Amino acid sequence: MTDETSPGIPTPDGAAAVIDTDYEIGQDNKEGSVGPFGFDIHNPVFAISGVCIVAFVFYTLALPEQSGALFTWLFSSVTKGFDWFFISAGNIFVLFCLFLIITPLGRVRLGGAEASPDYTYLGWFSMLFAAGMGIGLMFYGVSEPLSHFSSSMGGTAVGEDGLRTDWAPLGAAAGDQAEAVRLGMAATIYHWGLHPWAIYAVVGLALALFSYNKGLPLTIRSAFYPILGERVWGWPGHVIDILAVFATLFGLATSLGLGATQANAGLNELFGVAVGPTTQVLLITGITAIATVSVLRGLDGGVKVLSEINMGLAFLLLAFVLLVGPTLAILSTFGSSLLAYVEYLPGLSNPIGREDVNFMQGWTSFYWAWWISWSPFVGMFIARVSRGRSVREFLTCVLLIPSLVCVLWMSVFGGVAIDQVISDGYTAAQEAELPRQLFAMLDALPLAGITSLIGIVLVIVFFVTSSDSGSLVIDTITAGGKVDAPAPQRVFWCIFEGAVAIVLLLSAGGLKSLQSMVISTGLPFTVVLLFLCYAIFRGLRAEMKTQ
């Protein structure tokens, strides 16, 4: 493939180290139609992924108790046995990104030496942020800082087996209110700052580099060409792409499940809508239908428009809470939280010899597996919209700017909730169930009905953009790297994302089942990401010789 690139992917502008391969895009694909609906699918990847996911759905529905027990066992086994591995890998991704930023390799331009960006900074930031962490920030923006603050204030507790039973990070801060706030915010920033965005950046950079500069298909396997050579088009590559499909789908299903429970809690708070699986299933079904319409409109007509609308609403809600809350205290928290993050980062990122096992395994291991599961989806989506950026610009923007936005969001929403406890003695948010904590915090502020409604809309639209973007990405992988495959395929994956979220919520484990599957699929994909770092380094060195 020396003189053309993947269908739908432009050829490099200017000098680029295009890889000379005999592989033709779509050579393993099956094309045809079923009635009026056309299809163009990569034979082994689509078939194996689709059959396995359909079988999984039927198994979970047919044997909910047995599947629930299996999911619980998986969650416990992976978090306890591989916590050190997840944390170590997260550290490697951050260091690798920082290395590329400060070295000459950062000068390489994605798409060729003369490529120019396809999107403005505003459109670019809106899409990567909405796709990357929208539902998570809405779900955990109040609850996580408040939880870490409360557990830190409570101090440590040791069980009969000598292991700690509390959920506080590191050594806690028993009775020290100011330090409990600092430690709680530092732990929150650790989970939402540099480490998760480094995970996304590694995958996004690999996909963009090997597609826009090397002329290979926009799939995960393409980045392994420096390691596997032509074997990447055979079964080793099939396995990599199938793992990416599983990781993406279960990562999205977890987020959709969280979004449904929070939207349900908000609707109950405002309109008295019943809380339970029936309402949540109806929510997932309805929002999946909206996402399907957005999928059919495409990247610019669907995801981009919704993302920019959502960013506007999110900014308005953030500004309102900042202004009507204790503004000076929040701004002070933002600065002190960043300093606390730097101070506590060595301890929080230490993978061995930790005593805070509940925090390390139940929070950090789960988060890292969740981010890694999302990485094929977010990484490919970021790659789709990042052509024309230099590697240094790409990494700086993807790694640092969203991290600061996440810190600001957590400082505002979590800071207000903590201040309500400390200054006002208002504990409704602290005592509420996790999906309801955002609305309990807003309830103590002016215009609670309006802000809570905006919160529900944000959750729903983040829900839609995540499902929409995920469907586009999974379809690209299962279409062998084609970005212009028939629309019915994207609809198929959009529907099955919702179906997986529903069956996991209905299983005996509920949300725990969602978390179990995301951490189980995240484990093997962590190995894939570590090899990606080496492949990126090899690929960038080749580009330096041409640009």
Side-chain angles (χ1 to χ4, degrees), residues 226-315:
I227 300 172
L228 296 173
E230 290 295 316
R231 289 176 297 166
V232 79
W233 313 123
W235 275 103
H238 299 340
V239 171
I240 291 168
D241 279 351
I242 290 168
L243 282 175
V245 170
F246 289 159
T248 303
L249 190 132
F250 287 112
L252 280 168
T254 299
S255 299
L256 300 186
L258 294 176
T261 58
Q262 188 173 35
N264 191 182
L267 291 171
N268 175 261
E269 190 85 13
L270 283 182
F271 307 112
V273 175
V275 174
T278 301
T279 304
Q280 291 159 18
V281 167
L282 291 174
L283 277 169
I284 293 174
T285 303
I287 296 170
T288 299
I290 298 172
T292 302
V293 175
S294 180
V295 160
L296 293 173
R297 289 180 59 85
L299 187 65
D300 291 330
V303 179
K304 183 174 182 288
V305 173
L306 286 174
S307 297
E308 291 180 348
I309 292 172
N310 225 29
M311 285 301 293
L313 284 175
F315 175 78

Side-chain angles (χ1 to χ4, degrees), residues 132-184:
M133 287 189 173
I135 290 178
L137 284 179
M138 294 300 296
F139 196 80
Y140 288 108
V142 169
S143 63
E144 186 169 353
L146 197 55
S147 174
H148 295 329
F149 162 74
S150 301
S151 60
S152 296
M153 277 290 290
T156 61
V158 179
E160 294 180 359
D161 55 2
L163 298 177
R164 277 175 52 177
T165 57
D166 63 274
W167 286 79
L170 301 179
D176 188 341
Q177 206 168 69
E179 196 57 31
V181 173
R182 293 181 75 250
L183 178 55

Side-chain angles (χ1 to χ4, degrees), residues 189 192-195 197 397-408:
I189 294 170
W192 293 87
L194 293 177
H195 283 74
W197 285 99
C397 292
V398 174
L399 189 65
L400 300 180
I401 293 175
S403 294
L404 289 175
V405 174
C406 288
V407 174
L408 178 62

Side-chain angles (χ1 to χ4, degrees), residues 450-485:
I450 296 175
T451 55
S452 293
L453 182 60
I454 291 174
I456 294 170
V457 172
L458 279 169
V459 170
I460 290 173
V461 182
F462 275 133
F463 198 146
V464 172
T465 54
S466 296
S467 180
D468 186 340
S469 309
S471 301
L472 290 170
V473 167
I474 294 175
D475 181 50
T476 300
I477 297 172
T478 56
K482 290 189 176 181
V483 296
D484 52 0

Side-chain angles (χ1 to χ4, degrees), residues 311-328 330-331 408-409 411-413 416-417 420 438-455 458:
M311 285 301 293
L313 284 175
F315 175 78
L316 286 176
L317 184 60
L318 179 74
F320 176 82
V321 174
L322 175 62
L323 292 175
V324 303
T327 307
L328 292 178
I330 293 171
L331 294 176
L408 178 62
W409 186 278
S411 297
V412 171
F413 285 83
V416 168
Q420 288 174 344
L438 169 66
F439 305 105
M441 182 276 287
L442 292 174
D443 196 45
L445 301 178
L447 305 177
I450 296 175
T451 55
S452 293
L453 182 60
I454 291 174
L458 279 169

Side-chain angles (χ1 to χ4, degrees), residues 325-465:
T327 307
L328 292 178
I330 293 171
L331 294 176
S332 175
T333 298
F334 176 76
S336 63
S337 296
L338 283 174
L339 292 175
Y341 168 63
V342 174
E343 176 186 334
Y344 283 113
L345 181 59
L348 291 168
S349 59
N350 173 31
I352 57 175
R354 298 275 291 271
E355 294 183 357
D356 54 341
V357 288
N358 282 339
F359 172 82
M360 181 182 177
Q361 296 170 359
W363 282 100
T364 306
S365 290
F366 165 66
Y367 267 139
W368 275 204
W370 191 13
W371 303 148
I372 288 165
S373 291
W374 263 54
S375 65
F377 146 51
V378 181
M380 187 175 292
F381 186 72
I382 292 174
R384 287 278 295 271
V385 299
S386 298
R387 186 177 181 276
R389 309 288 177 184
S390 72
V391 170
R392 183 171 291 117
E393 181 185 19
F394 175 91
L395 290 174
T396 300
C397 292
V398 174
L399 189 65
L400 300 180
I401 293 175
S403 294
L404 289 175
V405 174
C406 288
V407 174
L408 178 62
W409 186 278
M410 293 293 186
S411 297
V412 171
F413 285 83
V416 168
I418 292 172
D419 185 76
Q420 288 174 344
V421 175
I422 295 174
S423 302
D424 306 328
Y426 177 79
T427 59
Q430 190 177 33
E431 295 168 357
E433 294 180 355
L434 200 152
R436 196 181 295 271
Q437 288 182 327
L438 169 66
F439 305 105
M441 182 276 287
L442 292 174
D443 196 45
L445 301 178
L447 305 177
I450 296 175
T451 55
S452 293
L453 182 60
I454 291 174
I456 294 170
V457 172
L458 279 169
V459 170
I460 290 173
V461 182
F462 275 133
F463 198 146
V464 172
T465 54

